[in-house]
């Protein structure tokens, strides 16, 4: 089944404890992206990747890191989480970044709480 | 600054009615426009996309695009309670660019 998977789905952690949220897709997509979703603020892009070893900042990259060593994986790293990073996180992928109608497929989401 | 604006709602319609969801965008050169549906606590799923002026129909859904007015809408005919969700408008400003999402409109369809 074609899908985007994220792990963990739920995570409660404490301020300053490094964590990684994994994202994997099995559709051979070139483009992958991380979003956070907060009430009243909508979906905001954190980082994106056009292809392996190519990453760039989105609208809210502060406090986050990413890497794209393999085409299928795009982990999100919080080196020192803070309470303002409590949010619902989505990973998404699409075949390419360009082209009209290039659908983004979303993972199931990771609900992160930082105490 | 790329902006995509949607009325937050909720938009309440009775079952069987037509629901009309609207979206405006700031970048006049925007190329592609997407409508996603998101149920509470779930991930967004694509309903349809449009990139040419005019209407595009898919089942009960019709997307309408007017680039001159920088306006895109989604019509849902014969609305069902299962259509109750938040609808996200997303815009691709250029061909090789990322999506910018609006904050979404909540739709409530009452039986």
């Amino acid at each position: 089944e074609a899908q985007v998977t994220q792990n963990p789905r739920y995570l409660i952690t404490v301020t300053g404890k490094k964590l990684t949220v994994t994202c994997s897709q099995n559709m051979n997509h070139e483009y992958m992206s991380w979003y956070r979703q907060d009430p009243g603020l909508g979906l905001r892009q954190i980082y994106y990747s056009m292809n392996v070893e190519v990453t760039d900042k989105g609208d809210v990259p502060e406090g986050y890191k990413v890497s794209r060593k393999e085409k299928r994986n795009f982990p999100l790293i919080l080196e020192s989480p803070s309470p303002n990073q409590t949010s619902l996180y989505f990973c998404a992928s699409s075949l390419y970044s360009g082209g009209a109608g290039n659908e983004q497929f979303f993972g199931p989401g990771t609900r992160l709480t930082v105490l | 600054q790329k902006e995509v604006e949607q009325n937050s709602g909720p938009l309440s319609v009775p079952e069987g009615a037509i629901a009309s969801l609207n979206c405006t965008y700031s970048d006049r050169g925007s190329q592609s426009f997407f409508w996603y549906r998101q149920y509470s606590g779930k991930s967004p799923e694509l309903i349809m996309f449009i990139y040419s002026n005019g209407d595009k129909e898919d089942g009960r859904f019709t997307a309408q695009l007017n680039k001159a007015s920088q306006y895109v809408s989604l019509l849902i005919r014969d609305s069902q309670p299962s259509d109750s969700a938040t609808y996200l408008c997303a815009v691709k400003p250029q061909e090789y660019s990322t999506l910018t999402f609006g904050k979404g409109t909540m739709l409530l369809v009452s039986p």
Side-chain angles (χ1 to χ4, degrees), chain A residues 30-31 48 50 96-100 102, chain B residues 2 31-32 92-99:
Chain A
E30 287 190 353
Y31 179 89
Y48 63 95
M50 298 281 199
Y96 306 110
S97 64
N102 198 1
Chain B
K2 302 169 287 186
Q31 299 280 320
S32 307
K92 184 188 283 275
Q94 300 171 30
E95 184 174 358
Y96 289 94
S97 67
T98 61
L99 289 180

Side-chain angles (χ1 to χ4, degrees), chain A residues 9 31 35 37 40-43 45 48 50 59 88 90 96-109 111, chain B residues 1-2 31-32 34 36 38 41-46 49 51 86 88 92 94-104:
Chain A
R9 295 288 313 280
Y31 179 89
Y35 297 90
Q37 188 173 39
L41 296 177
L43 272 170
Q45 190 176 51
Y48 63 95
M50 298 281 199
D59 297 318
L88 179 59
F90 289 105
Y96 306 110
S97 64
N102 198 1
E103 177 182 0
Q104 282 196 24
F105 295 86
F106 283 80
R111 189 167 292 281
Chain B
Q1 179 74 15
K2 302 169 287 186
Q31 299 280 320
S32 307
F34 302 77
Y36 282 82
Q38 186 178 25
K42 303 296 186 182
S43 57
E45 54 181 341
L46 183 70
F49 67 89
Y51 51 86
T86 295
L88 305 174
K92 184 188 283 275
Q94 300 171 30
E95 184 174 358
Y96 289 94
S97 67
T98 61
L99 289 180
T100 298
F101 284 84
K103 295 178 182 178

Side-chain angles (χ1 to χ4, degrees), chain B residues 46-61:
Chain B
L46 183 70
I47 299 174
M48 62 192 307
F49 67 89
I50 186 168
Y51 51 86
S52 297
N53 273 328
D55 295 0
K56 180 181 180 181
E57 187 175 316
D58 185 359
R60 295 187 296 114
F61 300 95

Side-chain angles (χ1 to χ4, degrees), chain B residues 2-14:
Chain B
K2 302 169 287 186
E3 290 184 354
V4 179
E5 300 287 341
Q6 297 181 256
N7 188 319
S8 62
L11 172 67
S12 295
V13 300

Side-chain angles (χ1 to χ4, degrees), chain A residues 16-74:
Chain A
K17 186 177 181 181
K18 180 179 179 180
L19 67 92
T20 299
V21 183
T22 65
C23 173
S24 183
Q25 49 90 9
N26 62 1
M27 296 171 279
N28 202 36
H29 284 174
E30 287 190 353
Y31 179 89
M32 298 185 74
S33 180
W34 276 103
Y35 297 90
R36 60 178 290 174
Q37 188 173 39
D38 303 288
L41 296 177
L43 272 170
R44 294 180 293 167
Q45 190 176 51
I46 303 170
Y47 269 95
Y48 63 95
S49 171
M50 298 281 199
N51 213 325
V52 176
E53 303 290 2
V54 180
T55 62
D56 209 346
K57 297 177 180 178
D59 297 318
V60 288
E62 293 78 20
Y64 304 94
K65 287 176 58 177
V66 293
S67 68
R68 187 92 181 272
K69 294 183 171 59
E70 304 167 281
K71 198 172 189 177
R72 64 183 294 128
N73 296 323
F74 190 45

